[in-house]
């Protein structure tokens, strides 16, 4: 499932999925990620995901609202891995999000972009690196 505020971006993702041989296995939702995370059922998401990537436009998102929606979402389950992209100007994301819901795995800088990987309520061992979130 591709979620984007711009219908054109969703349409492009759908064309790309067909070109990659995933026709009928993907779909696009035109909405804000926070909205979909808060109410996944209203957007046809009935099962939790094992992997979620959040790559919002830096200037158009309030990260705390995005994280709050993620932490309360029924679209995640134990061991769901989430990648959150954010600008280096924000500093570092915390190692733990949402009162022990998400635990940091990696936090890596790539130019102006930082990519943080988290796991939701892990039930198995992950190679966590809390020092990367300091």
């Amino acid at each position: 499932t591709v979620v984007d505020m711009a219908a054109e971006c969703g349409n492009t993702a759908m064309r790309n999925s067909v070109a990659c041989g995933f026709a009928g296995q993907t779909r696009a939702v035109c909405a804000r990620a926070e909205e979909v995370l808060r109410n996944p059922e209203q957007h046809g998401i009935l099962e939790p995901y094992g992997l979620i990537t959040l790559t919002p436009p830096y200037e158009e998102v309030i990260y705390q609202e995005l994280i709050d929606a993620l932490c309360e979402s029924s679209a995640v389950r134990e061991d769901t891995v989430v990648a959150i992209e954010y600008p280096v100007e924000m500093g570092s994301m915390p190692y733990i999000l949402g009162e022990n819901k998400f635990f940091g795995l990696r936090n890596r800088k790539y130019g102006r972009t930082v990519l943080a990987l988290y796991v939701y309520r892990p039930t198995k061992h992950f190679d966590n690196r809390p020092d990367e979130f300091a």
Side-chain angles (χ1 to χ4, degrees), residues 39-61:
N39 301 297
E41 296 83 10
Q42 289 181 355
H43 298 278
I45 298 170
L46 306 176
E47 304 272 335
Y49 290 100
L51 174 66
I52 296 175
T53 62
L54 298 170
T55 57
Y58 299 155
E59 292 80 18
E60 296 180 30
V61 67

Side-chain angles (χ1 to χ4, degrees), residues 56-59 61-67 84-94 97 107 112-114 116 118 133:
Y58 299 155
E59 292 80 18
V61 67
I62 298 172
Y63 277 84
Q64 189 60 56
E65 290 179 11
L66 180 65
I67 290 166
I84 303 174
E85 179 184 321
Y86 65 97
V88 70
E89 293 85 2
M90 275 182 54
S92 183
M93 296 275 280
L97 301 176
N107 194 46
R112 181 179 175 235
T113 298
V114 182
Y118 289 91
F133 293 84

Side-chain angles (χ1 to χ4, degrees), residues 73-96:
S73 183
S74 62
V76 298
R77 58 173 162 73
E78 291 177 331
D79 298 325
T80 294
V81 173
V82 177
I84 303 174
E85 179 184 321
Y86 65 97
V88 70
E89 293 85 2
M90 275 182 54
S92 183
M93 296 275 280
Y95 170 62
I96 297 174

Side-chain angles (χ1 to χ4, degrees), residues 1-72:
T1 302
V2 174
V3 176
D4 201 293
M5 295 183 300
E8 182 179 326
C9 291
N11 292 337
T12 299
M14 293 305 296
R15 284 192 304 275
N16 289 339
S17 72
V18 169
C20 291
F22 297 111
Q25 299 175 41
T26 58
R27 64 190 192 92
V29 174
C30 186
R32 292 187 63 87
E34 304 94 306
E35 177 186 324
V36 174
L37 288 167
R38 283 188 194 103
N39 301 297
E41 296 83 10
Q42 289 181 355
H43 298 278
I45 298 170
L46 306 176
E47 304 272 335
Y49 290 100
L51 174 66
I52 296 175
T53 62
L54 298 170
T55 57
Y58 299 155
E59 292 80 18
E60 296 180 30
V61 67
I62 298 172
Y63 277 84
Q64 189 60 56
E65 290 179 11
L66 180 65
I67 290 166
D68 290 347
L70 177 66
C71 287
E72 300 304 320

